[in-house]
Amino acid sequence: MSVSRIATFAHTQQMITASLKVQADMAKVQDQEASGVKSSSLGGLGADAARLLRLNSQSARLTADNAAATDAQSFAQGAYSAVGDISDLATTILSQLSALNSGSSDDSELVSTYASQWLEDLQSMMNADLGGISLFSGEALDGDAVDFSDAGYDPTADPTASDTGYYQGTAKARTYTASDGSTVEISVTADDPAFEKLARALTLLKASPSDADVAQQAYDLVQESISGLGTLQEGLSARVSALQDRIDHNTAKIDILDGLSSDLNGVDLAEAAVKVTQQQTQLETLYSTISRLSSLSLLKYL
């Protein structure tokens, strides 16, 4: 039997095996370069997988917290604006009462008409909602916050006593609860004294428009209401600010966590490009060597 080729089989197989490994390594780096991450699966990260899971979980929790806090902040801002509208109404009422009380003629019919209209306006404002959720009903999800025609509401029975029989909501105000269990009240309830005094003033005025003592009591109640509404707005403003501080703090944490995650699973694109170039050069060298080994023949050397 004649031998026409030099015994290069073993070397050729080694070169092929080496080229396959370089191909696999290059494909991996190319995938990393395209995706920007070291591995699309946790299994490819080895010991870093558990840490990456923890970082991503913390980031996701804070992101969800921020979404809820943003919704809560919008609700609190809505309540703040609505209280401001009611405060504007109360200021108008006070000015009108001052003018009516200073008049010498009997304006009882006009006072009764004004009081009725003001009471309707107040009920409409106190039943304001945001996204279908009542601003002043506490934790109640639907329904109006107040009904001044409720059978249980009659401040004329004792004009000096607080009467919240008109209130249709819950005792507890609506709150935002973070994942760590901390809470922030994001609204006020319509049975607050600031609202009650304004409603009582108008109801008494409507029932006894010609009574000078009632007119004076109504005037005093409206003044107290305006002061109380201002306090409510201050509280809501502070809660809006507190929620913004929480959002900013969470955002800073999220940035840190995402940065750590990127360090664990991120890829230096410039470094990856260099690796791909080096592996391509290495692969071309292996292919050239394999080609030369395959073409060697003993006859050329005889």
Side-chain angles (χ1 to χ4, degrees):
M1 180 180 68
S2 63
V3 178
S4 63
R5 289 194 178 274
I6 297 173
T8 59
F9 179 77
H11 294 297
T12 301
Q13 285 300 109
Q14 289 175 357
M15 293 297 102
I16 292 174
T17 300
S19 67
L20 290 174
K21 183 179 185 305
V22 173
Q23 279 183 314
D25 290 344
M26 187 171 70
K28 180 180 178 181
V29 176
Q30 285 175 326
D31 287 343
Q32 291 175 344
E33 187 180 21
S35 65
V37 296
K38 294 176 183 176
S39 175
S40 58
S41 65
L42 291 173
L45 294 176
D48 287 333
R51 189 181 178 201
L52 182 64
L53 275 175
R54 287 195 300 271
L55 292 172
N56 288 344
S57 176
Q58 290 171 356
S59 178
R61 176 177 59 79
L62 291 174
T63 299
D65 265 4
N66 268 7
T70 299
D71 289 342
Q73 188 182 50
S74 296
F75 196 87
Q77 287 172 329
Y80 176 91
S81 296
V83 172
D85 291 340
I86 294 171
S87 181
D88 290 343
L89 174 65
T91 300
T92 299
I93 291 171
L94 190 68
S95 176
Q96 291 290 334
L97 287 179
S98 179
L100 290 169
N101 288 343
S102 64
S104 57
S105 61
D106 181 10
D107 294 322
S108 59
E109 185 175 344
L110 183 60
V111 170
S112 180
T113 300
Y114 276 160
S116 295
Q117 185 58 57
W118 289 333
L119 203 58
E120 288 180 15
D121 291 343
L122 179 61
Q123 178 164 299
S124 177
M125 290 179 178
M126 291 176 69
N127 284 333
D129 68 83
L130 184 67
I133 300 176
S134 172
L135 289 172
F136 303 122
S137 288
E139 295 182 323
L141 292 178
D142 53 21
D144 290 335
V146 303
D147 180 4
F148 294 134
S149 65
D150 191 289
Y153 180 57
D154 183 17
T156 60
D158 185 357
T160 62
S162 173
D163 187 343
T164 58
Y166 60 80
Y167 184 52
Q168 310 295 306
T170 63
K172 189 176 180 182
R174 185 170 295 280
T175 60
Y176 156 78
T177 303
S179 59
D180 62 5
S182 59
T183 60
V184 177
E185 286 191 358
I186 58 175
S187 187
V188 292
T189 54
D191 60 349
D192 186 273
F195 297 125
E196 187 279 327
K197 289 176 180 178
L198 184 56
R200 179 160 34 118
L202 298 179
T203 303
L204 294 175
L205 203 58
K206 178 182 177 181
S208 304
S210 60
D211 190 319
D213 291 337
V214 169
Q216 185 59 52
Q217 182 187 6
Y219 185 88
D220 293 341
L221 285 171
V222 173
Q223 274 192 318
E224 293 173 14
S225 172
I226 291 173
S227 176
L229 290 168
T231 300
L232 290 181
Q233 278 198 299
E234 288 176 5
L236 287 167
S237 178
R239 292 164 202 166
V240 169
S241 295
L243 287 167
Q244 186 59 53
D245 289 343
R246 177 181 290 272
I247 291 169
D248 292 342
H249 184 63
N250 283 351
T251 299
K253 282 187 173 180
I254 291 169
D255 289 343
I256 292 172
L257 291 168
D258 289 349
L260 292 172
S261 295
S262 180
D263 289 343
L264 280 178
N265 195 28
V267 171
D268 185 324
L269 295 181
E271 182 182 344
V274 171
K275 283 185 178 180
V276 169
T277 300
Q278 291 174 339
Q279 288 165 338
Q280 284 176 333
T281 301
Q282 186 179 1
L283 195 58
E284 289 170 2
T285 301
L286 286 169
Y287 285 157
S288 177
T289 302
I290 291 170
S291 177
R292 287 199 304 272
L293 287 173
S294 299
S295 66
L296 289 179
S297 171
L298 179 62
L299 294 177
K300 294 180 181 180
Y301 301 94
L302 295 179

